Amino acid sequence: MRLADVGKTYANGVLALDGVSLAVASGEFVSLLGPSGCGKSTILRLVAGLSPPSAGTVELGATPGEADALRREISFVFQEPTLMPWATVAANVLMPLRVRRVPRREAEDRVAEALALVGLDGFAKSYPRELSGGMKMRVSIARALVIRPRLLLLDEPFAALDEITRFRLNDDLVRLWRQFGWTVLFVTHSVFESVYLSSRVLVMSPRPGRVVQDIAVPDAARNEAWRMGPEYNALCREVSLALHAAMGDRA
Amino acid sequence: MRRTVVLSVLVPVGVLALTVLAWHLYVTIGDVETFILPAPDLVIRTLWNDWSTLGPALWVTLKLTFSALALAVVGGVALAVLMAQSRWIELALYPYAVILQVTPVVALAPIVVTRIPDTQTALLVLAFVVAFFPILTNTAQGLKSVDHNLRDLFQLHGAGRLQRLWYLEAPSALPYFLTGLRIAGGIALIAAVVAEFAAGSSGAGSGLAFRLFEAQYRLNSPRVFAALLLLAATGVAIFAATSLVSAWALRHWHESAVPRDR
Ligand SMILES: Nc1ncnc2c1ncn2[C@@H]1O[C@H](COP(=O)(O)OP(=O)(O)OP(=O)(O)O)[C@@H](O)[C@H]1O
Ligand SMILES: [Mg+2]
């Protein structure tokens, strides 16, 4: 997946992105880190094909045929849970499969599996209004995972969660990423989270956003020990400095 | 909780009892002529005694109102869905819906009645025209008010037009449609009465409105009030029924139908 010199101007004249170039290889876990309003969500929308770039090109896969195939295997977790309030948790998660006409039996099994993955087994029959903010977000994540996507776009999915749940879901996400070989583009505000999860961290400048730093994270086992170790801390410092530099502060 | 339920019955019933009592006292103490205002018990007795005339008339009016409402639901929803498919269809059709709406039934009635030989059919057309509009506009508004992020999500997953309509737009529009239905229920009855009056239909198959004006003409005041009472009761019943349908259909999720947890 490649963005080449992409610009985005919204209808009201706001220049959100200017000359963004980035590439994500198949199987990579890439984090986008930047200040609020720098255009991170906008990048995800461009990649998903939900809005067209005003300049430059967005390419998926190596060939146009591959791009079409890949388009059907993208999942997007929005910044807000975006659940259908009239549908139960199970029906919300079932939606992508229903639209794809997956046979009922199989679909129900996969919904149960996805809900178990985010720790919501007991809530299949609840309605979104009966859930906490973090639980709604987890439903939204389950809905993204249920199609077993090849490309997963995550827009600050854990921002509304407490530290403990967040760590747990971080570990789950890394595990699943390794297991299924997804390509992940992950937006976050958190330096620590981005380093812990990613194989690469892209640091963005304030609006109009562009990628100003590209920091690779070595492939290490992600666990508590690593989180406490010197490599993780050094990386966090590096990313943090890059972020401050991008924002024009003195470090 | 229990107390609120009991009170929510007691309060309106109590106020009703007081109103009737005041009415009764006013008529008896003030020595008001029956011709001006009949006493409440006289109205009730007239309702009972004249049931052979009023009962069938009520039935005619009810049939008319509910047929018009049913047609309005089918037609209004169908047209709203059609208009939601394309802006061009909307632009082409919406002006006619508005024209039909802003033309008063009273003005329309003589024209329609003289063109359509069967009076009941003519009345049905008139009541339909009036009831149709709130259902159309509300449903159309609802179909347009789908959350944009949900729309994006459906697009991302490659949902077709019918899937979008069924899984996304229809449920989003449901609360709006039900609001339209509540409004339409009330004005379908009003339209049925106005149309009947304006059409001046006579003889067989006459509804409550006709009986009311007939009684007025004959200075049969108790019967006028009895007919009025029936009309009011019908209106209240329609309102209660549509409100119940609405609350039931939205009971799981919509703010209007879900109790606020504290
Ligand atoms: N639909 C829109 N119309 C006009 N301007 C928009 C729209 N969406 C976003 N913007 C503008 O584009 C810029 C980038 O928005 P975007 O949502 O991509 O930021 P973000 O990096 O995701 O921020 P946050 O971290 O707060 O979510 C913002 O300055 C915003 O004002
Ligand atoms: Mg954002």
Side-chain angles (χ1 to χ4, degrees), chain B residues 42-58 208 211 214-215 218 220-227 230:
Chain B
L42 179 58
V43 173
I44 300 296
R45 262 185 288 128
T46 311
L47 192 58
W48 180 258
N49 293 333
D50 292 359
W51 188 250
S52 58
T53 315
L54 293 175
L58 173 65
L208 267 183
R211 291 296 174 211
E214 181 191 54
R218 294 178 186 166
N220 184 349
S221 200
R223 194 190 274 184
V224 170
F225 276 80
L230 275 183

PDB file of all heavy atoms in Angstrom, chain B residues 42-58 208 211 214-215 218 220-227 230:
ATOM      1  N   LEU B  42     -77.406  13.895  29.763  1.00  0.00           N
ATOM      2  CA  LEU B  42     -78.299  13.879  28.603  1.00  0.00           C
ATOM      3  C   LEU B  42     -77.522  13.445  27.344  1.00  0.00           C
ATOM      4  O   LEU B  42     -78.013  12.657  26.519  1.00  0.00           O
ATOM      5  CB  LEU B  42     -78.923  15.261  28.392  1.00  0.00           C
ATOM      6  CG  LEU B  42     -79.866  15.373  27.184  1.00  0.00           C
ATOM      7  CD1 LEU B  42     -81.007  14.368  27.282  1.00  0.00           C
ATOM      8  CD2 LEU B  42     -80.397  16.793  27.043  1.00  0.00           C
ATOM      9  N   VAL B  43     -76.303  13.941  27.246  1.00  0.00           N
ATOM     10  CA  VAL B  43     -75.467  13.573  26.091  1.00  0.00           C
ATOM     11  C   VAL B  43     -75.222  12.069  26.079  1.00  0.00           C
ATOM     12  O   VAL B  43     -75.348  11.392  25.053  1.00  0.00           O
ATOM     13  CB  VAL B  43     -74.126  14.343  26.113  1.00  0.00           C
ATOM     14  CG1 VAL B  43     -73.189  13.833  25.023  1.00  0.00           C
ATOM     15  CG2 VAL B  43     -74.354  15.832  25.950  1.00  0.00           C
ATOM     16  N   ILE B  44     -74.900  11.542  27.271  1.00  0.00           N
ATOM     17  CA  ILE B  44     -74.630  10.106  27.352  1.00  0.00           C
ATOM     18  C   ILE B  44     -75.886   9.313  27.007  1.00  0.00           C
ATOM     19  O   ILE B  44     -75.843   8.328  26.258  1.00  0.00           O
ATOM     20  CB  ILE B  44     -74.153   9.718  28.777  1.00  0.00           C
ATOM     21  CG1 ILE B  44     -72.861  10.462  29.141  1.00  0.00           C
ATOM     22  CG2 ILE B  44     -73.933   8.212  28.886  1.00  0.00           C
ATOM     23  CD1 ILE B  44     -71.669  10.114  28.293  1.00  0.00           C
ATOM     24  N   ARG B  45     -77.023   9.755  27.521  1.00  0.00           N
ATOM     25  CA  ARG B  45     -78.273   9.043  27.226  1.00  0.00           C
ATOM     26  C   ARG B  45     -78.590   9.094  25.731  1.00  0.00           C
ATOM     27  O   ARG B  45     -79.027   8.115  25.152  1.00  0.00           O
ATOM     28  CB  ARG B  45     -79.425   9.635  28.048  1.00  0.00           C
ATOM     29  CG  ARG B  45     -79.710   8.802  29.315  1.00  0.00           C
ATOM     30  CD  ARG B  45     -80.920   9.315  30.061  1.00  0.00           C
ATOM     31  NE  ARG B  45     -80.629  10.592  30.711  1.00  0.00           N
ATOM     32  CZ  ARG B  45     -81.379  11.690  30.579  1.00  0.00           C
ATOM     33  NH1 ARG B  45     -82.481  11.655  29.844  1.00  0.00           N
ATOM     34  NH2 ARG B  45     -81.046  12.795  31.198  1.00  0.00           N
ATOM     35  N   THR B  46     -78.330  10.258  25.132  1.00  0.00           N
ATOM     36  CA  THR B  46     -78.578  10.384  23.698  1.00  0.00           C
ATOM     37  C   THR B  46     -77.680   9.430  22.914  1.00  0.00           C
ATOM     38  O   THR B  46     -78.103   8.785  21.958  1.00  0.00           O
ATOM     39  CB  THR B  46     -78.308  11.830  23.234  1.00  0.00           C
ATOM     40  OG1 THR B  46     -78.971  12.714  24.116  1.00  0.00           O
ATOM     41  CG2 THR B  46     -78.755  12.035  21.800  1.00  0.00           C
ATOM     42  N   LEU B  47     -76.438   9.354  23.379  1.00  0.00           N
ATOM     43  CA  LEU B  47     -75.488   8.436  22.742  1.00  0.00           C
ATOM     44  C   LEU B  47     -76.053   7.026  22.752  1.00  0.00           C
ATOM     45  O   LEU B  47     -76.016   6.295  21.760  1.00  0.00           O
ATOM     46  CB  LEU B  47     -74.161   8.492  23.511  1.00  0.00           C
ATOM     47  CG  LEU B  47     -72.942   7.846  22.870  1.00  0.00           C
ATOM     48  CD1 LEU B  47     -72.655   8.462  21.522  1.00  0.00           C
ATOM     49  CD2 LEU B  47     -71.735   7.988  23.790  1.00  0.00           C
ATOM     50  N   TRP B  48     -76.611   6.646  23.889  1.00  0.00           N
ATOM     51  CA  TRP B  48     -77.177   5.319  24.071  1.00  0.00           C
ATOM     52  C   TRP B  48     -78.415   5.144  23.189  1.00  0.00           C
ATOM     53  O   TRP B  48     -78.517   4.174  22.438  1.00  0.00           O
ATOM     54  CB  TRP B  48     -77.509   5.122  25.552  1.00  0.00           C
ATOM     55  CG  TRP B  48     -78.104   3.784  25.853  1.00  0.00           C
ATOM     56  CD1 TRP B  48     -79.411   3.505  26.063  1.00  0.00           C
ATOM     57  CD2 TRP B  48     -77.399   2.548  25.957  1.00  0.00           C
ATOM     58  NE1 TRP B  48     -79.590   2.171  26.290  1.00  0.00           N
ATOM     59  CE2 TRP B  48     -78.350   1.559  26.239  1.00  0.00           C
ATOM     60  CE3 TRP B  48     -76.048   2.193  25.838  1.00  0.00           C
ATOM     61  CZ2 TRP B  48     -78.019   0.216  26.409  1.00  0.00           C
ATOM     62  CZ3 TRP B  48     -75.712   0.860  26.010  1.00  0.00           C
ATOM     63  CH2 TRP B  48     -76.686  -0.115  26.290  1.00  0.00           C
ATOM     64  N   ASN B  49     -79.345   6.120  23.292  1.00  0.00           N
ATOM     65  CA  ASN B  49     -80.621   5.996  22.583  1.00  0.00           C
ATOM     66  C   ASN B  49     -80.471   6.080  21.071  1.00  0.00           C
ATOM     67  O   ASN B  49     -81.185   5.431  20.323  1.00  0.00           O
ATOM     68  CB  ASN B  49     -81.590   7.089  23.056  1.00  0.00           C
ATOM     69  CG  ASN B  49     -81.992   6.867  24.501  1.00  0.00           C
ATOM     70  OD1 ASN B  49     -81.994   5.732  24.990  1.00  0.00           O
ATOM     71  ND2 ASN B  49     -82.315   7.957  25.193  1.00  0.00           N
ATOM     72  N   ASP B  50     -79.538   6.930  20.605  1.00  0.00           N
ATOM     73  CA  ASP B  50     -79.379   7.146  19.171  1.00  0.00           C
ATOM     74  C   ASP B  50     -78.315   6.246  18.553  1.00  0.00           C
ATOM     75  O   ASP B  50     -77.840   6.500  17.449  1.00  0.00           O
ATOM     76  CB  ASP B  50     -79.014   8.616  18.888  1.00  0.00           C
ATOM     77  CG  ASP B  50     -80.166   9.550  19.215  1.00  0.00           C
ATOM     78  OD1 ASP B  50     -81.227   9.035  19.637  1.00  0.00           O
ATOM     79  OD2 ASP B  50     -79.988  10.768  19.077  1.00  0.00           O
ATOM     80  N   TRP B  51     -77.903   5.228  19.314  1.00  0.00           N
ATOM     81  CA  TRP B  51     -76.803   4.390  18.832  1.00  0.00           C
ATOM     82  C   TRP B  51     -77.111   3.775  17.467  1.00  0.00           C
ATOM     83  O   TRP B  51     -76.216   3.556  16.649  1.00  0.00           O
ATOM     84  CB  TRP B  51     -76.475   3.307  19.860  1.00  0.00           C
ATOM     85  CG  TRP B  51     -75.235   2.549  19.476  1.00  0.00           C
ATOM     86  CD1 TRP B  51     -75.151   1.270  19.048  1.00  0.00           C
ATOM     87  CD2 TRP B  51     -73.891   3.071  19.452  1.00  0.00           C
ATOM     88  NE1 TRP B  51     -73.858   0.951  18.752  1.00  0.00           N
ATOM     89  CE2 TRP B  51     -73.053   2.047  18.998  1.00  0.00           C
ATOM     90  CE3 TRP B  51     -73.342   4.317  19.777  1.00  0.00           C
ATOM     91  CZ2 TRP B  51     -71.679   2.215  18.840  1.00  0.00           C
ATOM     92  CZ3 TRP B  51     -71.965   4.474  19.623  1.00  0.00           C
ATOM     93  CH2 TRP B  51     -71.153   3.437  19.166  1.00  0.00           C
ATOM     94  N   SER B  52     -78.390   3.507  17.208  1.00  0.00           N
ATOM     95  CA  SER B  52     -78.757   2.901  15.917  1.00  0.00           C
ATOM     96  C   SER B  52     -78.399   3.831  14.759  1.00  0.00           C
ATOM     97  O   SER B  52     -78.152   3.380  13.647  1.00  0.00           O
ATOM     98  CB  SER B  52     -80.246   2.577  15.892  1.00  0.00           C
ATOM     99  OG  SER B  52     -80.977   3.769  16.131  1.00  0.00           O
ATOM    100  N   THR B  53     -78.335   5.142  15.024  1.00  0.00           N
ATOM    101  CA  THR B  53     -77.911   6.090  13.992  1.00  0.00           C
ATOM    102  C   THR B  53     -76.416   6.365  14.090  1.00  0.00           C
ATOM    103  O   THR B  53     -75.698   6.359  13.085  1.00  0.00           O
ATOM    104  CB  THR B  53     -78.637   7.441  14.167  1.00  0.00           C
ATOM    105  OG1 THR B  53     -80.012   7.178  14.417  1.00  0.00           O
ATOM    106  CG2 THR B  53     -78.461   8.308  12.942  1.00  0.00           C
ATOM    107  N   LEU B  54     -75.946   6.593  15.335  1.00  0.00           N
ATOM    108  CA  LEU B  54     -74.556   7.021  15.530  1.00  0.00           C
ATOM    109  C   LEU B  54     -73.554   5.875  15.341  1.00  0.00           C
ATOM    110  O   LEU B  54     -72.461   6.081  14.814  1.00  0.00           O
ATOM    111  CB  LEU B  54     -74.392   7.641  16.919  1.00  0.00           C
ATOM    112  CG  LEU B  54     -75.142   8.967  17.123  1.00  0.00           C
ATOM    113  CD1 LEU B  54     -75.011   9.443  18.564  1.00  0.00           C
ATOM    114  CD2 LEU B  54     -74.612  10.022  16.163  1.00  0.00           C
ATOM    115  N   GLY B  55     -73.945   4.679  15.767  1.00  0.00           N
ATOM    116  CA  GLY B  55     -73.040   3.524  15.664  1.00  0.00           C
ATOM    117  C   GLY B  55     -72.585   3.275  14.233  1.00  0.00           C
ATOM    118  O   GLY B  55     -71.384   3.267  13.946  1.00  0.00           O
ATOM    119  N   PRO B  56     -73.525   3.088  13.311  1.00  0.00           N
ATOM    120  CA  PRO B  56     -73.122   2.878  11.910  1.00  0.00           C
ATOM    121  C   PRO B  56     -72.338   4.061  11.345  1.00  0.00           C
ATOM    122  O   PRO B  56     -71.399   3.859  10.573  1.00  0.00           O
ATOM    123  CB  PRO B  56     -74.466   2.731  11.182  1.00  0.00           C
ATOM    124  CG  PRO B  56     -75.428   2.332  12.231  1.00  0.00           C
ATOM    125  CD  PRO B  56     -74.965   2.957  13.503  1.00  0.00           C
ATOM    126  N   ALA B  57     -72.718   5.275  11.790  1.00  0.00           N
ATOM    127  CA  ALA B  57     -71.995   6.459  11.311  1.00  0.00           C
ATOM    128  C   ALA B  57     -70.535   6.422  11.776  1.00  0.00           C
ATOM    129  O   ALA B  57     -69.603   6.718  11.010  1.00  0.00           O
ATOM    130  CB  ALA B  57     -72.676   7.723  11.803  1.00  0.00           C
ATOM    131  N   LEU B  58     -70.339   6.024  13.059  1.00  0.00           N
ATOM    132  CA  LEU B  58     -68.976   5.900  13.579  1.00  0.00           C
ATOM    133  C   LEU B  58     -68.186   4.883  12.764  1.00  0.00           C
ATOM    134  O   LEU B  58     -67.036   5.104  12.385  1.00  0.00           O
ATOM    135  CB  LEU B  58     -69.036   5.462  15.048  1.00  0.00           C
ATOM    136  CG  LEU B  58     -67.675   5.133  15.695  1.00  0.00           C
ATOM    137  CD1 LEU B  58     -66.819   6.374  15.777  1.00  0.00           C
ATOM    138  CD2 LEU B  58     -67.859   4.506  17.071  1.00  0.00           C
ATOM    139  N   LEU B 208     -69.984  10.075  10.658  1.00  0.00           N
ATOM    140  CA  LEU B 208     -70.279  10.877  11.839  1.00  0.00           C
ATOM    141  C   LEU B 208     -70.439  12.362  11.526  1.00  0.00           C
ATOM    142  O   LEU B 208     -71.305  13.035  12.083  1.00  0.00           O
ATOM    143  CB  LEU B 208     -69.148  10.717  12.856  1.00  0.00           C
ATOM    144  CG  LEU B 208     -69.322   9.642  13.910  1.00  0.00           C
ATOM    145  CD1 LEU B 208     -68.143   9.671  14.864  1.00  0.00           C
ATOM    146  CD2 LEU B 208     -70.625   9.852  14.682  1.00  0.00           C
ATOM    147  N   ARG B 211     -73.842  13.065  10.206  1.00  0.00           N
ATOM    148  CA  ARG B 211     -74.845  12.973  11.259  1.00  0.00           C
ATOM    149  C   ARG B 211     -74.790  14.191  12.174  1.00  0.00           C
ATOM    150  O   ARG B 211     -75.816  14.688  12.634  1.00  0.00           O
ATOM    151  CB  ARG B 211     -74.637  11.705  12.098  1.00  0.00           C
ATOM    152  CG  ARG B 211     -74.934  10.432  11.341  1.00  0.00           C
ATOM    153  CD  ARG B 211     -76.397  10.356  10.955  1.00  0.00           C
ATOM    154  NE  ARG B 211     -76.653   9.202  10.107  1.00  0.00           N
ATOM    155  CZ  ARG B 211     -77.598   9.149   9.165  1.00  0.00           C
ATOM    156  NH1 ARG B 211     -78.371  10.224   8.953  1.00  0.00           N
ATOM    157  NH2 ARG B 211     -77.769   8.079   8.453  1.00  0.00           N
ATOM    158  N   GLU B 214     -76.295  17.129  10.340  1.00  0.00           N
ATOM    159  CA  GLU B 214     -77.722  16.874  10.201  1.00  0.00           C
ATOM    160  C   GLU B 214     -78.457  17.219  11.507  1.00  0.00           C
ATOM    161  O   GLU B 214     -79.482  17.902  11.516  1.00  0.00           O
ATOM    162  CB  GLU B 214     -77.930  15.399   9.843  1.00  0.00           C
ATOM    163  CG  GLU B 214     -79.359  14.975   9.631  1.00  0.00           C
ATOM    164  CD  GLU B 214     -79.465  13.472   9.560  1.00  0.00           C
ATOM    165  OE1 GLU B 214     -78.992  12.781  10.502  1.00  0.00           O
ATOM    166  OE2 GLU B 214     -79.995  12.969   8.552  1.00  0.00           O
ATOM    167  N   ALA B 215     -77.863  16.750  12.627  1.00  0.00           N
ATOM    168  CA  ALA B 215     -78.469  17.023  13.929  1.00  0.00           C
ATOM    169  C   ALA B 215     -78.470  18.520  14.230  1.00  0.00           C
ATOM    170  O   ALA B 215     -79.436  19.065  14.779  1.00  0.00           O
ATOM    171  CB  ALA B 215     -77.711  16.256  15.022  1.00  0.00           C
ATOM    172  N   ARG B 218     -81.206  20.174  12.498  1.00  0.00           N
ATOM    173  CA  ARG B 218     -82.502  19.908  13.121  1.00  0.00           C
ATOM    174  C   ARG B 218     -82.569  20.415  14.553  1.00  0.00           C
ATOM    175  O   ARG B 218     -83.476  20.041  15.310  1.00  0.00           O
ATOM    176  CB  ARG B 218     -82.785  18.410  13.120  1.00  0.00           C
ATOM    177  CG  ARG B 218     -82.959  17.869  11.715  1.00  0.00           C
ATOM    178  CD  ARG B 218     -83.195  16.392  11.784  1.00  0.00           C
ATOM    179  NE  ARG B 218     -83.219  15.822  10.432  1.00  0.00           N
ATOM    180  CZ  ARG B 218     -83.150  14.543  10.180  1.00  0.00           C
ATOM    181  NH1 ARG B 218     -83.036  13.677  11.177  1.00  0.00           N
ATOM    182  NH2 ARG B 218     -83.190  14.109   8.942  1.00  0.00           N
ATOM    183  N   ASN B 220     -81.046  19.443  17.044  1.00  0.00           N
ATOM    184  CA  ASN B 220     -80.996  18.345  18.001  1.00  0.00           C
ATOM    185  C   ASN B 220     -79.649  18.406  18.724  1.00  0.00           C
ATOM    186  O   ASN B 220     -78.719  17.650  18.437  1.00  0.00           O
ATOM    187  CB  ASN B 220     -81.183  17.017  17.258  1.00  0.00           C
ATOM    188  CG  ASN B 220     -81.244  15.845  18.221  1.00  0.00           C
ATOM    189  OD1 ASN B 220     -80.953  15.981  19.410  1.00  0.00           O
ATOM    190  ND2 ASN B 220     -81.622  14.697  17.692  1.00  0.00           N
ATOM    191  N   SER B 221     -79.576  19.328  19.671  1.00  0.00           N
ATOM    192  CA  SER B 221     -78.306  19.624  20.320  1.00  0.00           C
ATOM    193  C   SER B 221     -77.683  18.425  21.049  1.00  0.00           C
ATOM    194  O   SER B 221     -76.485  18.191  20.937  1.00  0.00           O
ATOM    195  CB  SER B 221     -78.489  20.800  21.270  1.00  0.00           C
ATOM    196  OG  SER B 221     -77.263  21.384  21.539  1.00  0.00           O
ATOM    197  N   PRO B 222     -78.445  17.654  21.810  1.00  0.00           N
ATOM    198  CA  PRO B 222     -77.820  16.507  22.487  1.00  0.00           C
ATOM    199  C   PRO B 222     -77.132  15.567  21.507  1.00  0.00           C
ATOM    200  O   PRO B 222     -76.059  15.048  21.785  1.00  0.00           O
ATOM    201  CB  PRO B 222     -79.013  15.815  23.163  1.00  0.00           C
ATOM    202  CG  PRO B 222     -80.004  16.901  23.354  1.00  0.00           C
ATOM    203  CD  PRO B 222     -79.847  17.823  22.173  1.00  0.00           C
ATOM    204  N   ARG B 223     -77.745  15.375  20.351  1.00  0.00           N
ATOM    205  CA  ARG B 223     -77.123  14.459  19.408  1.00  0.00           C
ATOM    206  C   ARG B 223     -75.857  15.066  18.797  1.00  0.00           C
ATOM    207  O   ARG B 223     -74.893  14.345  18.535  1.00  0.00           O
ATOM    208  CB  ARG B 223     -78.107  14.075  18.292  1.00  0.00           C
ATOM    209  CG  ARG B 223     -77.581  12.879  17.516  1.00  0.00           C
ATOM    210  CD  ARG B 223     -78.364  12.607  16.263  1.00  0.00           C
ATOM    211  NE  ARG B 223     -79.517  11.767  16.527  1.00  0.00           N
ATOM    212  CZ  ARG B 223     -80.314  11.321  15.552  1.00  0.00           C
ATOM    213  NH1 ARG B 223     -80.078  11.672  14.287  1.00  0.00           N
ATOM    214  NH2 ARG B 223     -81.342  10.571  15.843  1.00  0.00           N
ATOM    215  N   VAL B 224     -75.863  16.370  18.597  1.00  0.00           N
ATOM    216  CA  VAL B 224     -74.642  17.033  18.126  1.00  0.00           C
ATOM    217  C   VAL B 224     -73.483  16.745  19.089  1.00  0.00           C
ATOM    218  O   VAL B 224     -72.390  16.347  18.687  1.00  0.00           O
ATOM    219  CB  VAL B 224     -74.857  18.559  18.029  1.00  0.00           C
ATOM    220  CG1 VAL B 224     -73.519  19.267  17.773  1.00  0.00           C
ATOM    221  CG2 VAL B 224     -75.847  18.896  16.935  1.00  0.00           C
ATOM    222  N   PHE B 225     -73.797  16.924  20.373  1.00  0.00           N
ATOM    223  CA  PHE B 225     -72.738  16.712  21.357  1.00  0.00           C
ATOM    224  C   PHE B 225     -72.345  15.250  21.462  1.00  0.00           C
ATOM    225  O   PHE B 225     -71.177  14.916  21.689  1.00  0.00           O
ATOM    226  CB  PHE B 225     -73.177  17.276  22.714  1.00  0.00           C
ATOM    227  CG  PHE B 225     -72.908  18.745  22.817  1.00  0.00           C
ATOM    228  CD1 PHE B 225     -73.777  19.667  22.234  1.00  0.00           C
ATOM    229  CD2 PHE B 225     -71.768  19.204  23.451  1.00  0.00           C
ATOM    230  CE1 PHE B 225     -73.521  21.022  22.297  1.00  0.00           C
ATOM    231  CE2 PHE B 225     -71.503  20.562  23.524  1.00  0.00           C
ATOM    232  CZ  PHE B 225     -72.372  21.481  22.944  1.00  0.00           C
ATOM    233  N   ALA B 226     -73.311  14.369  21.291  1.00  0.00           N
ATOM    234  CA  ALA B 226     -72.993  12.939  21.332  1.00  0.00           C
ATOM    235  C   ALA B 226     -72.054  12.582  20.180  1.00  0.00           C
ATOM    236  O   ALA B 226     -71.067  11.851  20.358  1.00  0.00           O
ATOM    237  CB  ALA B 226     -74.276  12.115  21.257  1.00  0.00           C
ATOM    238  N   ALA B 227     -72.348  13.116  18.991  1.00  0.00           N
ATOM    239  CA  ALA B 227     -71.489  12.844  17.831  1.00  0.00           C
ATOM    240  C   ALA B 227     -70.083  13.428  18.043  1.00  0.00           C
ATOM    241  O   ALA B 227     -69.065  12.802  17.729  1.00  0.00           O
ATOM    242  CB  ALA B 227     -72.111  13.432  16.562  1.00  0.00           C
ATOM    243  N   LEU B 230     -68.100  11.247  20.296  1.00  0.00           N
ATOM    244  CA  LEU B 230     -67.587  10.071  19.584  1.00  0.00           C
ATOM    245  C   LEU B 230     -66.355  10.430  18.759  1.00  0.00           C
ATOM    246  O   LEU B 230     -65.365   9.696  18.739  1.00  0.00           O
ATOM    247  CB  LEU B 230     -68.663   9.501  18.667  1.00  0.00           C
ATOM    248  CG  LEU B 230     -69.644   8.533  19.307  1.00  0.00           C
ATOM    249  CD1 LEU B 230     -70.599   7.989  18.253  1.00  0.00           C
ATOM    250  CD2 LEU B 230     -68.891   7.389  19.969  1.00  0.00           C
TER     251      LEU B 230
END
